[in-house]
Amino acid sequence: MPELPEVETTLRGIEPAIVQQVISHFTVRQASLRWPVTVGISELVEGQRITLVYRRAKYLIIQLERGSMLIHLGMSGSLRLVQPGAELRKHDHIEMQMSNGSVLRYHDPRRFGCWLWSETDHHQLSHLGPEPLSEDFDAQRLYQLSRKRKIAVKPYIMDNNTVVGVGNIYASEALFRAGIRPDRAAGNISLQRYTVLTGHIKEVLAAAIVQGGTTLRDFVNGKGEPGYFQQTLAVYGRGGEPCTVCGGSLKEIKLGQRSSVFCPRCQR
DNA sequence: ACACTAACCTGCAAGC
DNA sequence: TGCTTGCAGGTTAGTG
């Protein structure tokens, strides 16, 4: 489910309800996530105040007085604020209750996500590329890092070392808007074309955030509301359907075992 | 260093 | 109707 816009939407939904609050109860019902939930996490975090909640790449970080919690939603995770005592759903793995009555629930059917506590740095956050919406991410970087590389441009921009937060949906959409075939070798793309692509990556992510993310299957923000960006998708999930620009049939291929849809006429 | 694959896990839709 | 197959938003560990 979540790419960067969905994680950002989640952050904005939950942050006001939990920041500066004290964690009164922390419950783990299923500790078997991508990495096991930190042993003894409840005792480590209960009684602590949340000082800061922020996002880095697709991770959410909840900073405590002592240590911090690192949360990832994987492919199918979601975080929701619920009423205390709200009925438990299948795959509601973790619950965090605040002293002001707010209750945050972590739901993740596929369990590819994580929820970890560390007193120091989280190693997952080292070696991450720049945030896509920051000035540190620019065409020069895309161009220079790609010289002599044979990797297809789509997996190249989805690599967290290149830039974080560009997943399958928005990589597909940005390449379509930029008119670049997803299977073109990254090392053969000019600085000019990377300039266009960089602009579209930033645009498509920013637009998706404004619209509350893309709702596929059951994505909802922290308040349980859907996103609306899927109405804007031009290629993702539309293999075989007509191109919104030229009317030709959209082609679907596999790149790095991810399905990639593009218009053979508009994208070169 | 780079390119590529398999793996983690459940749910759902399509096909037979 | 019911079974099987394939596919899904991400990331990492391992191979050559």
Side-chain angles (χ1 to χ4, degrees):
Chain A
M1 158 222 312
E3 290 199 25
L4 184 141
E6 290 72 47
V7 178
E8 180 68 24
T9 298
T10 298
L11 169 69
R12 295 180 186 185
I14 67 171
E15 193 265 355
I18 66 171
V19 73
Q20 295 304 327
Q21 300 304 313
V22 171
I23 300 170
S24 53
H25 292 290
F26 193 94
T27 309
V28 179
R29 297 190 176 86
Q30 168 61 272
S32 174
L33 303 182
R34 186 176 210 299
W35 297 288
V37 176
T38 307
V39 174
I41 189 171
S42 298
E43 293 71 25
L44 287 164
V45 305
E46 283 174 0
Q48 286 212 65
R49 186 175 301 279
I50 292 172
T51 57
L52 183 65
V53 187
Y54 63 99
R55 177 189 62 72
R56 171 75 173 107
K58 294 169 191 164
Y59 291 96
L60 290 170
I61 297 99
I62 297 179
Q63 184 68 47
L64 307 175
E65 295 157 314
R66 172 172 171 249
S68 64
M69 297 189 285
L70 182 75
I71 302 167
H72 198 290
L73 302 177
M75 292 272 256
S76 58
S78 60
L79 280 172
R80 295 183 61 172
L81 292 164
V82 300
Q83 294 303 117
E87 191 165 347
L88 274 180
R89 295 178 301 164
K90 195 176 182 182
H91 307 302
D92 280 348
H93 303 317
I94 296 174
E95 180 162 297
M96 183 170 76
Q97 184 161 358
M98 317 304 303
S99 51
N100 69 347
S102 294
V103 177
L104 188 65
R105 261 188 204 160
Y106 175 82
H107 176 89
D108 186 5
R110 292 176 73 179
R111 292 191 271 125
F112 286 180
C114 70
W115 192 315
L116 299 167
W117 177 88
S118 173
E119 181 157 19
T120 56
D121 294 339
H122 294 274
H123 69 84
Q124 289 88 349
L125 299 181
S126 56
H127 312 301
L128 284 178
E131 286 290 322
L133 295 175
S134 75
E135 291 186 359
D136 292 342
F137 171 57
D138 59 18
Q140 277 294 340
R141 178 181 176 85
L142 274 191
Y143 177 73
Q144 279 167 1
L145 277 184
S146 64
R147 290 311 87 185
K148 309 227 168 147
R149 297 207 38 197
K150 293 176 178 167
I151 188 174
V153 62
K154 178 160 170 278
Y156 171 64
I157 61 173
M158 290 174 67
D159 183 339
N160 277 334
N161 293 308
T162 308
V163 58
V164 302
V166 182
N168 203 26
I169 298 176
Y170 301 110
S172 304
E173 296 300 313
L175 286 165
F176 173 74
R177 293 182 181 201
I180 299 172
R181 281 180 67 105
D183 57 353
R184 175 170 290 279
N188 289 345
I189 294 174
S190 68
L191 176 59
Q192 281 185 327
R193 300 196 83 196
Y194 272 129
T195 303
V196 174
L197 178 58
T198 302
H200 283 296
I201 289 172
K202 289 174 186 279
E203 261 184 41
V204 76
L205 289 173
I209 290 170
V210 168
Q211 295 184 47
T214 298
T215 292
L216 300 171
R217 297 178 183 83
D218 63 348
F219 171 75
V220 288
N221 65 17
K223 297 172 186 165
E225 299 157 344
Y228 294 95
F229 194 76
Q230 71 277 11
Q231 298 165 11
T232 314
L233 299 179
V235 288
Y236 179 84
R238 297 194 61 238
E241 294 178 36
C243 171
T244 54
V245 172
C246 77
S249 181
L250 295 177
K251 190 174 173 187
E252 183 159 0
I253 61 173
K254 276 269 191 280
L255 286 175
Q257 70 245 78
R258 309 303 294 277
S259 91
S260 306
V261 182
F262 68 102
C263 175
R265 199 179 307 177
C266 297
Q267 294 173 258
R268 300 287 172 165

